[in-house]
Amino acid sequence: VRITDDSMYQEGAWVVNGNFLGAAQAFQVRFGTVGGQKRAYFTETVPATICRFTFGPGTFQISATSQTVPQN
């Protein structure tokens, strides 16, 4: 996977087990719908809130939000 600043994400750096990602299964992919469209969301495992990705020169950060996965 190529990041915007032309650096590369290292495959295999994240442990993947089903819908769980990261050491100690810290993150999870959850599925929801918006306006009838199915979507996948990268969330914290506990609490089940959507994560925000921030990219900068040579940096990549994952931070919590208070937004939950929509189910409409």
Side-chain angles (χ1 to χ4, degrees):
V1 176
R2 189 167 298 282
I3 311 272
T4 56
D5 69 357
D6 235 9
S7 60
M8 297 291 290
Y9 169 76
Q10 296 175 356
E11 289 187 40
W14 284 67
V15 176
V16 179
N17 181 7
N19 289 349
F20 293 96
L21 305 122
Q25 300 182 338
F27 300 101
Q28 186 173 6
V29 176
R30 296 177 193 268
F31 299 91
T33 57
V34 173
Q37 292 182 326
K38 294 179 182 178
R39 298 185 179 188
Y41 296 88
F42 187 95
T43 70
E44 293 184 296
T45 298
V46 177
T49 56
I50 297 172
C51 293
R52 174 181 296 118
F53 298 131
T54 307
F55 298 90
T59 65
F60 171 68
Q61 293 181 322
I62 301 171
S63 57
T65 68
S66 59
Q67 186 176 357
T68 58
V69 175
Q71 297 292 328
N72 62 14

